[in-house]
Amino acid sequence: MNAKTRKERKVETRKTLLNSATHLFVNEGYDTTLAAIADHAGLHTQTLISHFPTKADILTGIWQESLRSFEEAFLARTTDALSAYRAYIEASSLNFPSSGQVLPMAHSLPAITAEARRALFRVRELLAEGIAEDMAVDKTNDLRPTLIACMVFGGILHVSESWHGKRFNKDKYLASLLDVFDTAQAMLNRELVKG
């Protein structure tokens, strides 16, 4: 049996810390302490601080890991771009908390705004590139793939913000998100027929 290398243990520890932080941020809010995150992960606070000195660093790590996970899944897709992204959102819904509490929005945390925006921009760009492939067009000369990707993102943001302050219903929230994809798919299908 091979012992894990130092690098493998470091990656595993980092993932454990990010998972614990995500769980606590979602279920208890951003006021969760570093000590609580370390304790939930079964690690010492100093271990957490050696990986993530601040909560903003943890959130940056969460955004980076989310982007990496999405990019890996999206680039390995076996279906069209919108369907792949819809399936990713649907699969992610299994992790939606029933309370409706979600990770702090990028605009409310200036320390991570740049990283969050970079991650969201990359997802939107990947989606636009995938839609361009599906439409068999060059997105540098045809704005439709980018506009459709922006419409999807705007729709998702609208749905998320429309639930703010309301009694959360996980099933209705997911149905609203999936309606964004269905509407975008119908519009894309019309564009493909015209094209």
Side-chain angles (χ1 to χ4, degrees), residues 11 84 102 117 174:
V11 167
V102 293
R117 287 180 191 229
L174 177 60

Side-chain angles (χ1 to χ4, degrees), residues 97-166:
S98 56
S99 67
Q101 174 78 6
V102 293
L103 284 174
M105 293 297 291
H107 56 74
S108 67
L109 297 165
I112 64 149
T113 297
E115 186 61 34
R117 287 180 191 229
R118 186 188 76 72
L120 292 172
F121 180 79
R122 178 65 181 142
V123 170
R124 191 180 70 215
E125 282 301 298
L126 284 167
L127 183 58
E129 289 166 8
I131 292 168
E133 285 176 27
D134 296 339
M135 294 176 73
V137 299
D138 179 357
K139 81 177 193 71
T140 58
N141 299 323
D142 190 330
L143 287 176
R144 292 176 300 164
T146 299
L147 292 174
I148 293 168
C150 288
M151 179 185 67
V152 169
F153 268 78
I156 289 171
L157 182 60
H158 172 73
V159 167
S160 297
E161 289 180 350
S162 71
W163 279 92
H164 187 72
K166 293 182 182 175

